[in-house]
Amino acid sequence: MARLVSATLSTRDTALIVSIETEEDASAPVQVTLVEHDDVAVNFFTSGTCSKVGSNWELVAPLETVDRRRIFQIVNILDAVGQEIQISEPLIFLEPETGSEWASGEPARSELAKTEAARKARYSITLEAGDAKTTDQIFSSVILTDGLLITSQLRVPGISVLKLTDSTLGSDGATVLNSVLGQLGFEAVISPDAWLTDMRRRRPAVVIHMPSIQAPSASAAATESRKIAHQLLDLLALNRGSRGRIIGGVIGTPVAATSRVQFAGSWIEGGEYRGNLIGEFISGEDPQALLSQWSAASRDPRLRLWLAIYSDALIDERWEYQLFRCFNLLEGVGKEKLPSNAPIIGADGNPKLLVDGQPYTTRHAQGKVFELIRLVASATSQAESNFAQGGADLWDEVGVWTAVRNSVAHRGSWSLPEGQTPGAKHAQIEESIKARGGGLDTCPRHSRRN
């Protein structure tokens, strides 16, 4: 086995030269892997096969010009037969300000320590619930998520996403199914090991760790961590092509001067069952009605699309996103069922008018949804007030929906940007929502470094 004698880095024009000297001559090219350290992450830089130059092995890699002094580390060297050459101490190199030779030893280690400290400061922040005070307690959150595959740890300030390679999530499915298969005439059962292997492949799991959240209570910390986790999962869905699903989580309180966290509670994501509690025909279990609905949906792809959009809205825990989804669904249905520019006439027989005095029509979002609900009310012989919370005026009710929908569409949330004072209209709508029994999280989230 070849033994490492020395390793050096140098710059030649726009190329990085890695030179490796071994104690024994190798009969095949040496493999070398380098990473780069910065204040964001440790990043793969290059890996390649060296060529013999004199008594040394050299790897030549392209090196772009940047506005900082780079720190490289040789993390892996393989000998002629593919065995790892032992590296007795970290091979750290600091890009020179002038000249071609990269510094190693203490200057490089010292600069690496500064970089690692800056990296730690970047990510080690305390997340704050919107109503948190500086005197409030610090909590820690761990959230279990499936449907997301990652191959390495991912981090953003205050949050880490960690992969679970040996997850047993969903393993009970085989047990539950096996308990009923015999009753339904099946002569064989599922292999629990095969089921678990397939679950790990099809439903990869991760945990989202937020080690420091300041909040007035464990419940508030859990709510904040869930909100942040959903925001991160939305972003990761863009990058990974799959949207993770939160299963549940745990809240704890870090014990001062230790690495331990005291358990403070847990939750199962999705809230409690919110559908019908009553059975039989009056709550959607009427066989004739169900068969009719199924037949209609089977014939019409638009109905299947609308049902899918509605069911997706039901499982979204973010109230303004849920409203946004439902409002867009009503707009889509209204576009199909209503004339394109019909005027909106109020219950008093007068047209509904815009601020500029022009009439509302079904071309406008509020007018379209209002007129669609009126159509449904008429077709089902119901009062319009039945479709408004607490018997409120339907036009005003749809106006509140429209304002929230527009806010989500234009700025991504009902909450105002940090530091922005709510205007009279915003405050009025919030009061209307609260009067209708709605809950609001109107405070923006802040972050504070440890």
Side-chain angles (χ1 to χ4, degrees), residues 342-419:
I344 306 301
I345 307 299
D348 58 3
N350 296 318
K352 295 293 184 181
L353 301 178
L354 295 158
V355 176
D356 61 5
Q358 295 299 311
Y360 271 101
T361 72
T362 50
R363 180 171 56 87
H364 301 99
Q366 183 175 352
K368 186 178 298 177
V369 172
F370 172 73
E371 201 62 29
L372 176 66
I373 295 175
R374 275 182 138 182
L375 179 64
V376 173
S378 175
T380 57
S381 302
Q382 296 187 65
E384 294 178 8
S385 59
N386 288 353
F387 295 85
Q389 187 74 20
D393 179 79
L394 180 60
W395 177 256
D396 293 340
E397 179 86 358
V398 177
V400 171
W401 302 349
T402 307
V404 175
R405 172 263 194 188
N406 290 343
S407 176
V408 175
H410 296 154
R411 62 171 180 262
S413 172
W414 169 251
S415 300
L416 294 172
E418 184 175 355

Side-chain angles (χ1 to χ4, degrees), residues 236-291:
L236 292 177
L238 174 66
N239 298 331
R240 301 297 297 166
S242 176
R243 210 282 186 183
R245 180 187 62 165
I246 295 177
I247 304 300
V250 173
I251 286 289
T253 53
V255 179
T258 73
S259 59
R260 295 184 295 112
V261 179
Q262 186 174 356
F263 180 84
S266 63
W267 77 90
I268 298 173
E269 186 67 9
E272 297 181 358
Y273 175 75
R274 294 178 295 178
N276 288 329
L277 296 176
I278 303 173
E280 301 183 358
F281 74 95
I282 64 172
S283 58
E285 295 180 3
D286 177 11
Q288 285 75 25
L290 181 60
L291 181 59

Side-chain angles (χ1 to χ4, degrees), residues 62-361:
L63 186 67
E64 297 179 356
T65 301
V66 296
D67 58 358
R68 67 181 188 278
R69 296 182 73 186
R70 286 167 285 204
I71 303 171
F72 285 168
Q73 179 179 0
I74 298 176
V75 294
N76 184 262
I77 305 175
L78 301 180
D79 68 7
V81 295
Q83 293 185 337
E84 187 172 341
I85 296 177
Q86 184 177 0
I87 300 174
S88 59
E89 62 180 30
L91 298 176
I92 311 297
F93 301 91
L94 175 63
E95 187 173 15
E97 293 182 300
T98 59
S100 62
E101 294 296 323
W102 287 51
S104 59
E106 179 55 32
R109 290 194 295 269
S110 176
E111 197 63 29
L112 176 60
K114 295 177 185 178
T115 299
E116 289 176 332
R119 187 191 307 151
K120 182 178 180 181
R122 177 186 295 276
Y123 295 109
S124 298
I125 69 170
T126 291
L127 304 170
E128 295 184 355
D131 52 354
K133 300 180 178 62
T134 56
T135 55
D136 283 339
Q137 191 170 8
I138 299 297
F139 296 90
S140 180
S141 173
V142 177
I143 298 175
L144 176 63
T145 301
D146 75 349
L148 179 63
L149 174 66
I150 62 172
T151 60
S152 60
Q153 178 184 1
L154 301 179
R155 292 194 295 177
V156 295
I159 313 170
S160 295
V161 185
L162 310 170
K163 65 176 181 178
L164 294 177
T165 54
D166 296 320
S167 168
T168 58
L169 190 65
S171 59
D172 60 330
T175 302
V176 174
L177 282 171
N178 284 339
S179 69
V180 299
L181 288 179
Q183 302 173 44
L184 298 176
F186 282 73
E187 297 178 354
V189 295
I190 302 167
S191 164
D193 290 341
W195 176 275
L196 181 56
T197 298
D198 204 28
M199 284 294 295
R200 288 173 176 169
R201 179 182 64 83
R202 297 173 62 88
R203 303 273 291 276
V206 303
V207 292
I208 301 174
H209 183 209
M210 302 178 206
S212 185
I213 306 170
Q214 191 164 49
S217 66
S219 176
T223 298
E224 184 68 16
S225 67
R226 289 174 58 250
K227 183 180 75 173
I228 297 171
H230 277 297
Q231 293 171 359
L232 180 58
L233 289 173
D234 287 343
L235 176 59
L236 292 177
L238 174 66
N239 298 331
R240 301 297 297 166
S242 176
R243 210 282 186 183
R245 180 187 62 165
I246 295 177
I247 304 300
V250 173
I251 286 289
T253 53
V255 179
T258 73
S259 59
R260 295 184 295 112
V261 179
Q262 186 174 356
F263 180 84
S266 63
W267 77 90
I268 298 173
E269 186 67 9
E272 297 181 358
Y273 175 75
R274 294 178 295 178
N276 288 329
L277 296 176
I278 303 173
E280 301 183 358
F281 74 95
I282 64 172
S283 58
E285 295 180 3
D286 177 11
Q288 285 75 25
L290 181 60
L291 181 59
S292 176
Q293 293 167 339
W294 177 257
S295 298
S298 299
R299 293 191 303 268
D300 191 340
R302 294 177 309 166
L303 289 179
R304 297 197 295 272
L305 171 64
W306 293 340
L307 288 169
I309 294 173
Y310 178 64
S311 63
D312 285 343
L314 287 179
I315 62 175
D316 199 322
E317 289 294 304
R318 297 160 289 187
W319 73 270
E320 70 259 64
Y321 284 25
Q322 188 178 76
L323 188 148
F324 178 78
R325 290 172 182 267
C326 288
F327 194 97
N328 287 348
L329 171 59
L330 293 174
E331 273 197 285
V333 176
K335 186 175 181 180
E336 293 286 330
K337 299 297 182 181
L338 299 172
S340 61
N341 200 28
I344 306 301
I345 307 299
D348 58 3
N350 296 318
K352 295 293 184 181
L353 301 178
L354 295 158
V355 176
D356 61 5
Q358 295 299 311
Y360 271 101
T361 72

